[in-house]
Amino acid sequence: MRLVCLVIALWGAMGAAYAQSASAAIGNCLPPREMQEAVASKGVVTPASAVMTARRQVPGADVVRASLCRNSDALVYVIMALQKDGRIVQVMIDGSSGRVRSVK
């Protein structure tokens, strides 16, 4: 039983580390204040809307992190979701349209 708990804890730690590194790989993520300003100016969809879209792409997964990042000249939401089997899925949502760009 202890071994099972240890394996689950390690999977969680690896998943969290992967979520941070994948989000950092996109680079140029906005701090919360700038994200609020982008949403308030109606330039991007709300984070809640982006998360709901990501949840439809990865049913049953738990959203671990949602960041608004600059990608070229556009803003995209990078949403990390943890699946029941321990895998992390990265969903990129176009900030202005709210459409899915990619699921990895």
Side-chain angles (χ1 to χ4, degrees), residues 73-92:
D73 292 336
L75 290 173
V76 295
Y77 281 100
V78 178
I79 302 187
M80 307 306 288
L82 177 63
Q83 293 182 317
K84 302 284 186 222
D85 63 1
R87 289 185 296 153
I88 295 286
V89 177
Q90 177 183 335
V91 182
M92 288 184 64

Side-chain angles (χ1 to χ4, degrees), residues 29-93:
C29 292
L30 297 150
R33 183 76 165 163
E34 287 182 35
M35 184 191 300
Q36 290 172 345
E37 290 170 2
V39 172
S41 71
K42 307 231 191 269
V44 296
V45 298
T46 64
S49 175
V51 167
M52 286 181 2
T53 301
R55 283 188 175 146
R56 282 192 292 271
Q57 293 296 309
V58 190
D62 295 321
V63 172
V64 178
R65 166 177 245 146
S67 303
L68 183 61
C69 305
R70 289 184 185 90
N71 187 4
S72 300
D73 292 336
L75 290 173
V76 295
Y77 281 100
V78 178
I79 302 187
M80 307 306 288
L82 177 63
Q83 293 182 317
K84 302 284 186 222
D85 63 1
R87 289 185 296 153
I88 295 286
V89 177
Q90 177 183 335
V91 182
M92 288 184 64
I93 308 285

